[in-house]
C-alpha cells in the first residue's frame, strides 16, 4: 500500500557553507601561480521565443566555485599584492528591473553573503578584464561559454607579441581550467553528498507516487506531470534533465521524451526522471507494468536486469576500475539472455563488442558520473586506463534490456515484444559498502506490485 509521498518529505540539508567554498577555491588555486588569470563564466540567458527566456541555469563550474546562480555573472581569480583575489561580477541592484523580474543580491549582497573578496557590477567586467589581461601571463578560460569574454581574451593574446616586445607583459597562453575543476568535482564533499541525497530522495518519492498513480488508460504526460509536480512540491528546482516517460514500445526508445501516448495495463512503462536540488542532479529509472502485475515474460526480463543491476552496484567499491560495474552487468545480462534462449551464442561471443548479440538488446553503458551535471564531468580514462573508484565519487548504475518489436534491424522475439526495462540508481562510493542514494525508490517485483495502482 502506498504510504503517501506527501506526508514524508525528507528534511532539507544545510546549504554548502561559505567556508567550504573558500576551502574549495584554495585547493583549486594552489595549482596556479602569480601571473595566472582564471576566468569562470556563467552561461548566457537563452531565448525560448520572442521575449521569453528559458528558465536560467548557470554553468556548473560557476555553481561549484562560488554558488552564484543568477545570470550575467563572471568570476575572476588573480593575484594582487601577493594574494589571490576572488572577484565576482554580478548584475547590480536595479529597482526597475527588480520590480519586473525579482530581487537581486547585487554587489553588496555578493560581498556580504558569497565566498568572494571583491564584487563589481557586470557592466564593469570588460574594462576590468582588459586591464588584467595586460599583466596576465597565462589566461585560463573555458572558451565557448561566453563569446564576449572569448573575443576579449583572443584579442589580448593576439596583441601579445607587440606588447611583449615593447613592455615584456601580456598573456602568452590560453588554457582550459575545466579539467582541473572537473577533477575536484568528481570527488564529492559531505555537504555536496547531502544535497545529492536530498535530490535523490525527492526523486525516489516522485517515482513511487507515479507508480501508485498508474492505471489503465492514463497518458504518459499525466504520469510525467505527477513526477515533475512532485519534484517542485519537494522544494527542488524541477527536473535535472527532460523526463523520459515511455509506455509499451516507447519504453524501448532510450531517450524518448515525446511522452504523449496512452498507457495500457499490460504494458511496461519506463520512466527515467530526476530532480535537481541546489544544482545537483538525481537520475533514476524505474520500469513497471501499468496494471500492477508483471506478466511471465516481463518478469523474466525484469529479474535479469535487476540481478545485473544489483551485482553492478556491488562492484562500486574503492579500488575497482570505474567500468567494472559495466563489465559485471553485461556478463549477467548475457547469461540471462542465454538462459532464456534469446541469445544462442556462447557467453564470450555474446559479450564481444563488435559481433556479440548482447548489444542488440543492451546498447548503452551501465553508468556515468553524477553531480552538478547529470552526465557529470571527470575523465573516465585519465591516462588511457580506467580510473579507479574512490570514496566520494558518485555514479549511476543503469543496466537495461530493450526489445523493440518495431525495430527493422533485429528479429525481436515475440514473447518479449516491446518490453523495455531499465533500472537506474545513484551510487556513492564509500570506504565500506556502496551507498545507494536512491535506495528508497521501490525496485523489487514484490514492492512494485504492491505499490502500483494503490493511490
Ligand atoms: N537520464 C539520462 C541517463 O540516464 O543517462
Ligand atoms: Mn543516467
Ligand atoms: Mn537516467
Amino acid at each position: 500500500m502506498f504510504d503517501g509521498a506527501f506526508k514524508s518529505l525528507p528534511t532539507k540539508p544545510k546549504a554548502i557553507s561559505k567556508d567550504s567554498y573558500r576551502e574549495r577555491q584554495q585547493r583549486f588555486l594552489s595549482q596556479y601561480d602569480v601571473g595566472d588569470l582564471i576566468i569562470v563564466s556563467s552561461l548566457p540567458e537563452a531565448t525560448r521565443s520572442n521575449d521569453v527566456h528559458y528558465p536560467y541555469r548557470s554553468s556548473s563550474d560557476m555553481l561549484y566555485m562560488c554558488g552564484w546562480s543568477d545570470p550575467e555573472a563572471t568570476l575572476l581569480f588573480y593575484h594582487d599584492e601577493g594574494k589571490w583575489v576572488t572577484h565576482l561580477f554580478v548584475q547590480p541592484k536595479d529597482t526597475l528591473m527588480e520590480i519586473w523580474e525579482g530581487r537581486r543580491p547585487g554587489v553588496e549582497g555578493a560581498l556580504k553573503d558569497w565566498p568572494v573578496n571583491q564584487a563589481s557590477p557586470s557592466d564593469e567586467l570588460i574594462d576590468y578584464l582588459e586591464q588584467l589581461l595586460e599583466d596576465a601571463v597565462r589566461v585560463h578560460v573555458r572558451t565557448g561559454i561566453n563569446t564576449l569574454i572569448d573575443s576579449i581574451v583572443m584579442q589580448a593574446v593576439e596583441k601579445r607579441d607587440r606588447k611583449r616586445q615593447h613592455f615584456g607583459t601580456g598573456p602568452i597562453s590560453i588554457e582550459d581550467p575545466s579539467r582541473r575543476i572537473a577533477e575536484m568535482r568528481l570527488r564529492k564533499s559531505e555537504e555536496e553528498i547531502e544535497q545529492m541525497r536530498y535530490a535523490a530522495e525527492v526523486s525516489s518519492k516522485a517515482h513511487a507516487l507515479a507508480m501508485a498513480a498508474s492505471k489503465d488508460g492514463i497518458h504518459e504526460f499525466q504520469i510525467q506531470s505527477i513526477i515533475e509536480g512532485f519534484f517542485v512540491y519537494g522544494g527542488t528546482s524541477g527536473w535535472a534533465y527532460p523526463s523520459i516517460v515511455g509506455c509499451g514500445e516507447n519504453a524501448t526508445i532510450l531517450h524518448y521524451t515525446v511522452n504523449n501516448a496512452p498507457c495500457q495495463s499490460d504494458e511496461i512503462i519506463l520512466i527515467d526522471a530526476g530532480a535537481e536540488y541546489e544544482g545537483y542532479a538525481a537520475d533514476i529509472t524505474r520500469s513497471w507494468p501499468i496494471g500492477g502485475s508483471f506478466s511471465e515474460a516481463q518478469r523474466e526480463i525484469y529479474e535479469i536486469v535487476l540481478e545485473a543491476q544489483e551485482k553492478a552496484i556491488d562492484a562500486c567499491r574503492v579500488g575497482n576500475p570505474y567500468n567494472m560495474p559495466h563489465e559485471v552487468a553485461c556478463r549477467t545480462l548475457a547469461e540471462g539472455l542465454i538462459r532464456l534462449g534469446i541469445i544462442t551464442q556462447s557467453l564470450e561471443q555474446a559479450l564481444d563488442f563488435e559481433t556479440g548479440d548482447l548489444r542488440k538488446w543492451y546498447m548503452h553503458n551501465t553508468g556515468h558520473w553524477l553531480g552538478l551535471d547529470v552526465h557529470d564531468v571527470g575523465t573516465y580514462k585519465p591516462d588511457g586506463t580506467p580510473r579507479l573508484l574512490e570514496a566520494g565519487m558518485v555514479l549511476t548504475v543503469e543496466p537495461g534490456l530493450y526489445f523493440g518489436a518495431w525495430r527493422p534491424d533485429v528479429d525481436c522475439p515475440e514473447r518479449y515484444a516491446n518490453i523495455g526495462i531499465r533500472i537506474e540508481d545513484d551510487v556513492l562510493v564509500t570506504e565500506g559498502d556502496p551507498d545507494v542514494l536512491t535506495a528508497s525508490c521501490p525496485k523489487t517485483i514484490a514492492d512494485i506490485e504492491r505499490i502500483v495502482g494503490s493511490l
Side-chain angles (χ1 to χ4, degrees):
M1 185 56 194
F2 183 60
D3 74 345
F6 295 105
K7 289 193 198 132
S8 53
L9 276 177
T11 311
K12 280 191 174 177
K14 281 215 307 234
I16 295 175
S17 73
K18 249 163 104 166
D19 285 349
S20 304
Y21 282 110
R22 281 300 200 183
E23 182 275 329
R24 208 178 266 182
Q25 292 168 0
Q26 294 310 323
R27 239 180 326 125
F28 174 62
L29 293 173
S30 68
Q31 305 169 67
Y32 293 95
D33 215 333
V34 181
D36 285 315
L37 166 64
I38 304 145
I39 306 169
V40 179
S41 308
S42 60
L43 286 161
E45 288 200 273
T47 303
R48 182 171 183 273
S49 178
N50 196 15
D51 58 352
V52 175
H53 287 138
Y54 284 103
Y56 185 70
R57 196 330 184 136
S58 192
S59 69
S60 295
D61 283 351
M62 173 67 80
L63 296 178
Y64 185 75
M65 278 302 169
C66 72
W68 187 269
S69 56
D70 288 346
E72 262 184 59
T74 308
L75 181 63
L76 304 180
F77 297 104
Y78 53 89
H79 257 97
D80 190 28
E81 296 184 351
K83 276 198 187 136
W84 279 109
V85 179
T86 305
H87 193 158
L88 183 63
F89 290 76
V90 300
Q91 288 175 320
K93 289 198 79 64
D94 178 330
T95 306
L96 186 61
M97 290 306 290
E98 290 181 59
I99 288 171
W100 281 89
E101 294 183 350
R103 304 301 304 275
R104 296 176 173 183
V107 170
E108 304 76 11
L111 271 177
K112 181 165 165 282
D113 296 325
W114 269 263
V116 296
N117 42 25
Q118 275 205 48
S120 303
S122 48
D123 54 9
E124 291 178 12
L125 171 72
I126 299 310
D127 286 349
Y128 206 91
L129 193 54
E130 282 175 345
Q131 280 297 313
L132 287 174
L133 285 164
E134 298 269 324
D135 296 325
V137 182
R138 292 162 303 272
V139 187
H140 303 266
V141 62
R142 184 178 180 86
T143 51
I145 294 186
N146 183 319
T147 46
L148 181 59
I149 291 177
D150 291 355
S151 69
I152 289 166
V153 171
M154 297 301 171
Q155 278 167 26
V157 174
E158 271 167 30
K159 281 196 284 185
R160 75 184 188 274
D161 283 347
R162 229 158 13 102
K163 276 205 176 305
R164 289 231 143 239
Q165 189 176 19
H166 287 289
F167 308 111
T169 58
I172 55 170
S173 70
I174 303 177
E175 287 174 31
D176 184 351
S178 56
R179 208 176 143 149
R180 285 180 179 170
I181 302 176
E183 273 301 304
M184 294 176 63
R185 282 174 51 187
L186 187 51
R187 300 162 180 87
K188 274 73 181 174
S189 69
E190 283 300 320
E191 283 172 306
E192 290 184 281
I193 290 163
E194 289 316 306
Q195 318 303 315
M196 293 191 73
R197 209 181 280 285
Y198 190 80
E201 287 195 5
V202 170
S203 305
S204 299
K205 286 188 185 296
H207 276 259
L209 190 58
M211 289 177 192
S214 293
K215 59 179 183 197
D216 188 51
I218 196 166
H219 280 70
E220 292 163 349
F221 54 76
Q222 292 176 310
I223 301 191
Q224 176 188 358
S225 75
I226 289 167
I227 290 226
E228 293 180 359
F230 193 80
F231 289 167
V232 177
Y233 181 85
T236 73
S237 51
W239 49 257
Y241 55 90
S243 305
I244 296 163
V245 183
C247 207
E249 71 169 34
N250 300 332
T252 70
I253 299 170
L254 302 180
H255 284 174
Y256 171 82
T257 50
V258 185
N259 303 353
N260 64 359
C263 308
Q264 291 174 15
S265 55
D266 59 347
E267 292 175 331
I268 292 285
I269 187 162
L270 181 154
I271 299 191
D272 184 342
E276 182 177 283
Y277 182 68
E278 295 294 316
Y280 288 88
D283 185 6
I284 303 183
T285 309
R286 290 293 185 265
S287 317
W288 63 87
I290 282 290
S293 315
F294 284 85
S295 70
E296 272 309 306
Q298 290 167 348
R299 182 182 295 263
E300 285 164 12
I301 301 302
Y302 194 92
E303 280 173 348
I304 293 172
V305 177
L306 185 57
E307 184 190 352
Q309 204 236 12
E310 284 173 342
K311 286 186 172 161
I313 289 175
D314 196 56
C316 296
R317 290 177 185 274
V318 169
N320 284 349
Y322 87 90
N323 57 341
M324 190 189 270
H326 180 62
E327 303 298 330
V328 167
C330 285
R331 188 160 284 267
T332 311
L333 293 174
E335 283 168 350
L337 294 186
I338 290 169
R339 238 180 7 249
L340 292 181
I342 297 172
I343 292 182
T344 52
Q345 297 172 317
S346 70
L347 180 60
E348 292 317 314
Q349 285 170 339
L351 290 169
D352 186 273
F353 189 79
E354 300 294 337
T355 56
D357 278 350
L358 180 63
R359 283 187 66 75
K360 287 183 183 171
W361 317 113
Y362 182 46
M363 56 299 272
H364 59 79
N365 262 318
T366 303
H368 48 84
W369 308 129
L370 183 72
L372 284 166
D373 284 291
V374 64
H375 295 158
D376 209 24
V377 292
T379 21
Y380 290 100
K381 294 183 179 177
D383 308 306
T385 52
R387 185 189 287 277
L388 303 184
L389 295 175
E390 297 171 32
M393 294 179 178
V394 180
L395 66 165
T396 66
V397 179
E398 49 179 306
L401 288 171
Y402 312 91
F403 296 95
W406 55 272
R407 286 171 53 191
D409 62 321
V410 286
D411 263 335
C412 178
E414 211 176 307
R415 177 176 170 77
Y416 303 104
N418 290 332
I419 294 178
I421 305 283
R422 175 159 73 253
I423 308 174
E424 175 173 30
D425 281 304
D426 304 342
V427 181
L428 166 68
V429 181
T430 76
E431 293 296 343
D433 291 337
D435 182 352
V436 182
L437 303 179
T438 44
S440 69
C441 190
K443 183 163 78 170
T444 63
I445 287 182
D447 282 348
I448 286 177
E449 290 194 333
R450 211 170 12 247
I451 192 170
V452 172
S454 65
L455 199 63

